[in-house]
Amino acid sequence: MPLFVEAWMMSVQNFPFGMGPQSWLTHEPITDAYREGAKIGHPHNMYLMWAAEYGWLVIGLILVVAGQAIRNFLIRRTAILESGNTSEAIIFAGITASISGALFHGSVSAVFMAPGSMLVGILVLSAFWGLLYRSEARPKHGILKKRVKKSYCWLVIMVLLLAWFGWMRETIIYYEAMKADEEQYMEGSGGGIMPRFWYHGNFPRFEELKQ
């Protein structure tokens, strides 16, 4: 519970923008319970963790995407029921239940923190979104609406690509810093590589490792 309370207090410090990436590792403790307790791990609620670091604005954007997914789901569900395809309905229900279970599980776990689950998750969620957006399940639009929609899609793609390039740049910087940290960590600790990979880094980083 102290971890949850600490994350909540972080999320309202700079509302709605949060305290920034990796601030859970670097911030000064806010609550007495967290300050005096063992600082191991993070709150097992990924949405609260994201709110603490990236802000409630990001959580709001996630809810917008979730709302669109629900809308697409209802459209796709109606199309499947009207087609009378029982086997497709069963597959669709199973995949939806699996995805929903994983997303709900994220509220009481750290499943989206582990790199392996994140890599698999992005592929599964992308495939699920494509399944929801199959063309035969969409209402028909006129030529003008199709062109506007196509232009909008290209705009969204370009914005996402720019954001991705910016994200990857910072990820590469982080990776290089972690490689520099690893040598010092392995020489000084002798404890081997731990699952909580952030233990291998130094915060704040030594001056010679900032170069």
Side-chain angles (χ1 to χ4, degrees), residues 65-76:
V65 174
Q68 181 63 36
I70 293 172
R71 177 178 178 274
N72 291 348
F73 166 80
L74 294 175
I75 294 174
R76 183 73 184 134

Side-chain angles (χ1 to χ4, degrees), residues 171-205:
T171 301
I172 292 172
I173 292 173
Y174 179 78
Y175 172 70
E176 294 296 334
M178 290 296 286
K179 284 202 304 183
D181 285 339
E182 184 180 11
E183 295 181 12
Q184 181 172 343
Y185 171 80
M186 296 301 290
E187 291 174 0
S189 69
I193 297 177
M194 303 174 67
R196 292 187 172 95
F197 58 87
W198 53 82
Y199 284 155
H200 307 159
N202 295 287
F203 301 96
R205 181 159 283 110

